[in-house]
Amino acid sequence: MLKHMRYTAVLLAVMMCLTGCGDTAERTTDVKRNSIIVWTWDESFNVKAVRMAAGKYNLTHPDTEIIVEVKENEKVMEDVKNILIARDYQRLPDIIMIEDYDAQDMLSLYADDFVDLTDKIPSDRFVEYKTEVCSRDNTLYGIPFDSGVAALFYRCDILEKAGFTEQDMQNLTWEEYIAIGKQVKEKTGTAMLTLDPTDLPLVRLIMQSEGKWYVDSDGTTVTIKDNSVLKYSLQIMRQMLEDNIGISANGWNDFITAFQKNQVATVVSGGWIISSLKENQEQSGKWRVARIPSASGEKDSAVSNVGGSAWYILKKSAMCEQATDFAVSTFGLDDELMNELVEAIGIIPTTTQMAEYDNLRKEDPFFGGTQVSGFLAEMCDEMPVINYGRKTYEIEDIIEQEFQGYLVNNDLENTLEKAQMKAEAVAKE
Amino acid sequence: MKNKKSYNLLNTFSGRISGMVLLTALIISVSISAVVLKMSQNIFMDTYGQSQEKVFSQIEEELNILNDDMQKVMEEIDSSWAFRMYLTGASQMDNVEQYRNMYQMEQDLTVSSSSDLKLLNIMVLGMQGQDYLSRTETIYMTKDEILDSPAAAAAMDEPERMHYTFAKGGYTQTNKDIDVIIVSKALYYRQSRQIYGIVFITLNMEDLQKYYDYFVTDNSSFYMVDTEDTVVCSSRRGTVGKTMEDSWYIKAKNAGATQCTIREKGQYLTVMCRELPYQQKKIYGVVDNRLALTQLYNMPLLISICLAIGCLILAVSFFFARETIRPLSTLVQKMSGIKGGHFQEYMPVEGTLEVQELAKTYNYMLDDIEKYIAELMHTQQEKRKSEIKALQMQINPHFIYNTLASIKLLVYQNDTEKTITTIDAFISLLRNTINNTDELVTISREIENLRNYMQIIQARYGDAVQMEFYISRTCQNCEIPKLILQPFVENAFFHGYPSGQKGTIQIYIEKQEDMLKIRIMDDGVGLHADADNKVSLPVQRKEHFSGIGIHNIRERLQLMYAEKQSLSIENGRFGGTVVTIQLPARTKE
């Protein structure tokens, strides 16, 4: 009898094991993707660059698919921040582009979420002012991409109608620029440039050309109140509006439409605008390039920057390792690719090897046979190094608002005083 | 018969019992599992359905909130003086005013949009050609193309409300080639109903995904369908833009209920439907219950567990059955042994009570049979013995007559001495034969009888034939069956010496180890031998001394000594007959 009970006990134990193991099996639904996802904006510039890099990379890595998802600059920032906050790493892209003005903000918040590239890219690979922007605490997180080196692009046909030669457009001061604008407006009815009430690239451009910013070189001390360059740039803007040479444009669409539809005679912007200029091939040969007007009154010294961005790799993404390999081996170290990009999208590279890029010396028929890329690239070395700080766009929102008041009351001192207070509140760490 | 016995597992006890147990276990487990599965399925479906419905209602709510948000944006634009001035009277403003107006537009929009709609793709198109785009991108269509689009036409047709129009591409560069829903509303003067602009908000599938994403799983999908049965948004991206033709959709549409269950062609779907009156769309949530259940129950695992348990039951029950039945099998083997006459094969008493009882009874039966057989043998032997006893006690009357006649003759001859010795011998012979009822006699007594017998015979037939005895001294007290030697002597006397021949009959008795060897040798004519050298004794009708003859001596010896004796009759080497008897030597106690 005892024997039988023992058998029964063993039998029961076995059945329990069998039935018990049912719920230990766990199902995982993770689908491992096999493609690198890149988030960037500007179809004619950044997107095209990634596609070219991908094409080149696929020659040696045919199994790696690279997908570009086009998102606006703000959207990229917002989505990535949301995903990082939610820790929903499944949805994280592998590589994103961050505009230089946003870089420090992003790095200060999420430096740990980006791949440390210090050991992967030689420290003298890129020009100093870009390396600075892409680093935090002496650690490099971004691969500098395009330089935002700014220039004055102008329509020589329109200016000619107003009686100006190419020679007249070289080494201007802003006052001279306005004077020319007035004449152009008078003679041709065409405005000089577009001004966006919600975006002040002109202010940033003028400030950087004089080595100044909304904040001091420590990145946090707000320097609006006694910032003579800022004061100067706002006065220039007001002057342009009042003299009808700067027409209002709301957003990117208006900005692009204006020069593509012959509504303005010049564009003062970063080198990256060249790809958009070229979209209207009817204007081929009519554009020329010159140094931006100077703010100091000293001719021949104005070098500045608008925009510009860099690639960042997200550490917790699904394909992080492959993405790092891709980005470093193409945008990071491939001089040949950079040379091709110069020709294809008119990028002004930020590497220190620019002497090797023979495409920089190519004469561009769209700009009447001038070496436009080479011209821009040359200025990179003279670029003032600026610490943009973390709150560029927040402070600019305040400036935009106060500028509206200044347009009405014409009291610049008071305006900047108010802006200083608000900006200090925003920038306080 | 034995060779034909194929080992059919199903025809054995253990096979049948374990088969039965397995069958029962399977029937029980299958039926109970089926019932439990069915019950739990129903409970699961109920609760799952309820929770799915709640989630689905949440979608409806969120989409209504989205509509409210859109409405708010539209109203803000409609009521914004900045927008109105921008769209209608831009030319009357100077440059600075335009700049400030534009800033005001941006401010108005920022105020109106809730935080999660900050980056809405809003495009405002003035009838005089002004446009506004909230996003950092470009419009790729011309104004006329936009105004000809279905979304614009719908807005102008019915300017009072918002229209949700599906399009295979938006107006801007980034959503040029993707599926979008364009929310359009005309801006118009209330009094004159003159339209001065149209607002377009473009929602792409990514934007909409977050409104239904939490509902969608592997087994549930979401569809938004317009009044023409075209899918405008779906969790199954492939169906977007196509006309709904699935049978579940047609059924659910005809049923018109907010929730219905559809079973057909192996499908088991729960379809939920809600009407979005503002959007003029219907949303459907389809839950594939079969798939949900497959995920709930790991069928392969269940089946393999059942199989494993089945095998286990089969093995265990087979083992148990065999263990239980084993005594019976032993019994069967032992019973086959009985056929060969082995009655000593007892059964070990073990196993279940019934089997123990069976074994006991069997053993008891074996004992009985053996006892009865022994008894039967015994009775038979006794019967024979008494028969022989009766025979040996009975003296042939002819012998008595003849002897008496001989004595009478002696009396006539007046040979008194001889008469007396003959009568003495006769008396002694009669006493020893009739009075002594013992079966066994000592050799000395038997010799005495033989002498007496010889005396009588010689008195009758003369003394031409003599007798000589050579008895080993150690044999004197050994016992032998009564009248065992007399018939041979009688036979030798009457048949060995025809027509008055002279001769001697010699009797040798000696002990060899524990055997008695008795030889009766005559020097007469011997026996007729047949071809096989087998001798046969002539049959003598009369003149027997007693009922005991040569013919039943063998039988007597057999009965008394079984295999331990031997009797042989053969012709002697120098003529005559030799009878050799060997018996176990036994002395009287």
Side-chain angles (χ1 to χ4, degrees), chain A residues 28-44:
Chain A
T28 47
T29 47
D30 284 8
V31 183
K32 178 91 183 143
R33 63 181 158 91
N34 196 28
S35 45
I36 299 172
I37 293 178
V38 186
W39 282 2
T40 183
W41 60 89
D42 198 342
E43 200 93 35
S44 60

Side-chain angles (χ1 to χ4, degrees), chain B residues 61-303:
Chain B
E61 218 166 278
E62 297 256 341
L63 285 172
N64 282 333
I65 292 172
L66 172 70
N67 185 66
D68 290 349
D69 288 340
M70 298 283 163
Q71 193 70 44
K72 213 170 137 200
V73 173
M74 297 289 184
E75 271 162 18
E76 199 57 54
I77 294 172
D78 197 19
S79 61
S80 156
W81 57 263
F83 269 101
R84 206 171 270 209
M85 279 174 70
Y86 175 68
L87 295 174
T88 58
S91 53
Q92 288 143 30
M93 290 186 280
D94 71 22
N95 204 27
V96 178
E97 275 167 350
Q98 274 183 32
Y99 187 82
R100 293 185 57 218
N101 187 58
M102 214 167 259
Y103 184 78
Q104 187 59 44
M105 279 159 60
E106 204 67 37
Q107 291 303 308
D108 288 348
L109 259 189
T110 316
V111 171
S112 71
S113 34
S114 60
S115 62
D116 56 330
L117 295 172
K118 240 189 303 182
L119 296 171
L120 266 184
N121 187 335
I122 305 171
M123 180 175 76
V124 186
L125 195 65
M127 285 303 164
Q128 295 172 6
Q130 281 79 8
D131 56 37
Y132 166 85
L133 184 67
S134 68
R135 299 243 289 216
T136 313
E137 56 176 328
T138 51
I139 303 167
Y140 80 95
M141 277 175 136
T142 65
K143 297 203 166 64
D144 291 337
E145 279 169 352
I146 296 172
L147 287 175
D148 283 343
S149 70
M156 287 189 283
D157 241 24
E158 223 182 321
E160 298 85 3
R161 58 176 205 85
M162 288 195 293
H163 299 268
Y164 287 74
T165 315
F166 173 76
K168 286 219 163 281
Y171 306 121
T172 55
Q173 205 71 37
T174 53
N175 50 36
K176 196 172 167 181
D177 299 314
I178 58 173
D179 294 327
V180 291
I181 290 178
I182 298 169
V183 187
S184 57
K185 166 128 184 17
L187 304 171
Y188 66 108
Y189 299 113
R190 295 289 185 276
Q191 206 70 45
S192 61
R193 299 190 70 79
Q194 190 203 341
I195 295 168
Y196 62 87
I198 303 172
V199 184
F200 301 93
I201 301 175
T202 311
L203 301 170
N204 64 30
M205 296 299 140
E206 302 273 305
D207 295 335
L208 288 166
Q209 192 176 346
K210 66 175 179 224
Y211 291 97
Y212 62 78
D213 216 18
Y214 49 85
F215 172 77
V216 176
T217 58
D218 288 345
N219 48 51
S220 50
S221 41
F222 169 85
Y223 298 90
M224 189 191 280
V225 180
D226 71 5
T227 45
E228 269 100 51
D229 295 338
T230 306
V231 183
V232 297
C233 179
S234 169
S235 58
R236 306 244 158 109
R237 288 291 165 85
T239 62
V240 174
K242 301 201 171 96
T243 306
M244 261 301 203
E245 279 161 347
D246 295 1
S247 57
W248 65 261
Y249 172 72
I250 295 161
K251 279 196 177 176
K253 196 185 170 193
N254 293 338
T258 54
Q259 182 167 5
C260 60
T261 309
I262 290 167
R263 280 172 190 270
E264 61 164 21
K265 281 187 280 173
Q267 279 186 315
Y268 176 25
L269 306 171
T270 300
V271 179
M272 287 167 278
C273 171
R274 295 283 187 284
E275 180 123 29
L276 301 174
Y278 301 113
Q279 282 95 332
Q280 293 197 315
K281 303 275 181 287
K282 272 185 179 174
I283 52 173
Y284 289 90
V286 184
V287 182
D288 189 334
N289 295 329
R290 187 168 297 267
L291 223 59
L293 285 174
T294 331
Q295 286 180 353
L296 182 67
Y297 298 114
N298 190 342
M299 276 301 171
L301 186 68
L302 277 186
I303 290 170

Side-chain angles (χ1 to χ4, degrees), chain B residues 345-367:
Chain B
E345 301 280 353
Y346 287 103
M347 280 275 296
V349 179
E350 60 181 18
T352 59
L353 282 180
E354 294 91 331
V355 178
Q356 283 182 15
E357 194 59 38
L358 187 63
K360 272 189 210 160
T361 316
Y362 175 75
N363 290 345
Y364 183 70
M365 204 177 72
L366 274 190
D367 280 345

Side-chain angles (χ1 to χ4, degrees), chain A residues 4 7 11 18 22 27 72 74 196-198 241 244 246 248-250 252-254 401 403-404 407-408, chain B residues 95-96 98-100 102-103 106 119 131-133 135-139 174 295 301 305 309 312 319-320:
Chain A
H4 285 200
Y7 285 138
L11 184 69
L18 280 171
R27 278 180 231 104
E72 289 175 271
E74 299 90 333
D196 189 335
T198 58
L241 285 169
N244 294 328
S248 309
N250 194 320
W252 183 257
N253 186 52
D254 279 2
Q401 198 185 5
F403 183 64
Q404 293 290 323
L407 285 178
V408 180
Chain B
N95 204 27
V96 178
Q98 274 183 32
Y99 187 82
R100 293 185 57 218
M102 214 167 259
Y103 184 78
E106 204 67 37
L119 296 171
D131 56 37
Y132 166 85
L133 184 67
R135 299 243 289 216
T136 313
E137 56 176 328
T138 51
I139 303 167
T174 53
Q295 286 180 353
L301 186 68
I305 286 179
I309 292 180
L312 200 68
F319 177 73
F320 268 109

Side-chain angles (χ1 to χ4, degrees), chain A residues 100-254:
Chain A
D100 291 344
Y101 302 128
D102 291 318
Q104 287 303 313
D105 183 33
M106 202 69 182
L107 291 180
S108 71
L109 293 172
Y110 305 109
D112 288 343
D113 291 310
F114 292 100
V115 175
D116 176 357
L117 299 168
T118 319
D119 301 331
K120 297 191 170 74
I121 289 168
S123 57
D124 60 348
R125 169 74 187 161
F126 294 99
V127 294
E128 193 195 348
Y129 85 99
K130 284 293 276 196
T131 310
E132 202 66 21
V133 165
C134 298
S135 306
R136 192 171 172 85
D137 297 334
N138 294 323
T139 310
L140 182 70
Y141 292 102
I143 301 174
F145 183 55
D146 64 317
S147 157
V149 62
L152 167 63
F153 301 94
Y154 61 95
R155 289 276 297 274
C156 63
D157 57 328
I158 296 173
L159 285 163
E160 214 170 296
K161 275 186 205 160
F164 294 100
T165 63
E166 285 177 43
Q167 202 55 49
D168 293 332
M169 297 306 287
Q170 307 303 319
N171 305 323
L172 299 173
T173 63
W174 283 108
E175 287 78 9
E176 286 169 343
Y177 175 82
I178 292 173
I180 293 170
K182 275 183 179 171
Q183 294 221 25
V184 171
K185 179 76 183 172
E186 202 175 297
K187 288 178 180 161
T188 66
T190 310
M192 269 307 248
L193 78 172
T194 52
L195 295 173
D196 189 335
T198 58
D199 186 22
L200 307 177
L202 195 63
V203 174
R204 297 196 293 271
L205 179 139
I206 294 172
M207 280 199 294
Q208 187 162 3
S209 72
E210 291 299 311
K212 293 279 183 193
W213 202 247
Y214 299 124
V215 288
D216 210 351
S217 57
D218 61 2
T220 48
T221 314
V222 180
T223 53
I224 291 177
K225 195 180 159 191
D226 300 314
N227 189 332
S228 57
V229 188
L230 175 60
K231 206 180 273 181
Y232 174 76
S233 64
L234 292 180
Q235 283 165 341
I236 291 291
M237 284 232 326
R238 185 189 158 98
Q239 195 64 49
M240 287 174 174
L241 285 169
E242 283 178 346
D243 292 342
N244 294 328
I245 65 165
I247 57 166
S248 309
N250 194 320
W252 183 257
N253 186 52
D254 279 2

